[in-house]
Amino acid sequence: MKLIIVGAPGAGKGTQAAILADTLKVPTISTGAVLRKEIADGTAFGKTADGYIKAGNLVPDEFMVELMKDRLSRDDCQNGFILDGFPRTVKQAEALDEMGVAIDKVLDIEVADEAIVERLSGRRECPSCRATYHTAYNPPKQADICDKCSAALTVREDDKPETIQNRLNVYHKSTEPLIDFYRKKGLLVVAQGQEEVTQTTKEVFRALGIE
Ligand code: AP5
């Protein structure tokens, strides 16, 4: 399946993408994770992206489109993929169409703005294997230690309260129009984000028609 996941920052796109990738046996491409790796590696592209991300703004479309052209042409994407974080503007969605990529479904995970701040401020990330946790909703077995690789968990730079609000504003202005864009193409399915990860997964599987 060639699947796009859209939703506000913190809606649970990355969490559900990891579960779906296991079930569907396709790779997940998280543009946020790709960008954070470029920053950690100190590449020229990472240096450009860093300021945008720290402020909670979008990296310009032309950079993202070039990045994804390269990524989607690789062998592991030929039998399907999950896109978590791309496209994020109508311009990026049009560029994806121009690449000739035929998307099967677009999953929108809906979560109210009020829940987002709580989710993002409690998020912890593994800097080594990129597993994501939440201090209350999805805690690691040992506080601040990754269950999978035992690395010390960290807080993302863009999960500060003032940045979270800007990310939400940017989402409503620049990314939400994608929902109509894909609804008109007949590709959109919607899952209501629930208070627990497992409940959300049930909604997601139902929306996608996965048994
Ligand atoms: P990115 O990393 O994609 O950030 P985002 O879209 O803001 O989404 P998040 O990763 O914050 O949240 P998520 O929806 O994946 O939620 P998660 O599963 O972690 O992008 C970062 C930045 O990169 C952007 O701001 C932008 O600058 C740049 N960028 C990336 N792509 C770009 C593009 N295409 N164009 C331009 N710029 C781009 O869950 C969040 C928390 O909630 C976790 O702690 C989790 O454990 C918890 N949780 C999840 N589900 C539930 C649940 N059901 N109940 C309770 N808690 C839950």
Side-chain angles (χ1 to χ4, degrees):
M1 185 187 296
K2 293 182 177 167
L3 174 69
I4 292 171
I5 306 183
V6 293
K13 302 181 297 295
T15 302
Q16 297 302 324
I19 295 165
L20 282 166
D22 259 5
T23 304
L24 299 173
K25 311 285 178 227
V26 293
T28 295
I29 302 162
S30 158
T31 44
V34 171
L35 292 169
R36 283 186 288 280
K37 178 154 191 325
E38 295 278 337
I39 293 167
D41 291 348
T43 66
F45 183 62
K47 283 178 186 144
T48 305
D50 195 26
Y52 292 101
I53 294 182
K54 275 190 185 140
N57 293 322
L58 296 183
V59 175
D61 290 332
E62 53 273 27
F63 287 101
M64 296 310 301
V65 169
E66 281 314 306
L67 184 84
M68 292 309 285
K69 257 188 202 161
D70 172 61
R71 183 62 188 88
L72 292 173
S73 67
R74 295 194 202 157
D75 286 349
D76 66 338
C77 290
Q78 301 321 307
N79 294 326
F81 50 73
I82 299 168
L83 293 183
D84 162 17
F86 184 91
R88 229 172 178 106
T89 63
V90 170
K91 220 169 163 188
Q92 291 180 14
E94 287 167 351
L96 191 61
D97 283 348
E98 281 161 25
M99 287 178 218
V101 177
I103 296 298
D104 296 306
K105 281 183 183 162
V106 177
L107 171 70
D108 172 28
I109 303 179
E110 288 192 347
V111 175
D113 282 9
E114 304 80 65
I116 293 293
V117 178
E118 196 191 352
R119 285 203 192 177
L120 291 182
S121 47
R123 174 163 57 188
R124 298 292 179 270
E125 194 180 59
C126 175
S128 176
C129 75
R130 301 286 161 200
T132 299
Y133 301 87
H134 189 281
T135 47
Y137 302 122
N138 181 25
K141 292 189 184 96
Q142 192 185 339
D144 293 327
I145 300 292
C146 180
D147 290 348
K148 293 180 184 159
C149 67
S150 302
L153 301 179
T154 55
V155 177
R156 256 170 59 173
E157 284 260 17
D158 57 349
D159 280 349
K160 293 176 190 144
E162 61 279 16
T163 315
I164 292 170
Q165 191 51 55
N166 187 44
R167 286 165 67 198
L168 269 171
N169 296 344
V170 169
Y171 170 75
H172 289 304
K173 181 167 175 273
S174 303
T175 306
E176 219 166 34
L178 280 178
I179 292 171
D180 252 5
F181 179 90
Y182 284 118
R183 185 179 284 121
K184 283 181 189 147
K185 285 178 179 278
L187 296 177
L188 190 79
V189 296
V190 178
Q192 297 299 327
Q194 304 293 318
E195 274 187 22
E196 286 189 9
V197 172
T198 49
Q199 285 175 312
T200 305
T201 303
K202 278 189 192 150
E203 281 285 307
V204 164
F205 278 39
R206 184 199 50 73
L208 291 171
I210 300 172
E211 296 297 320

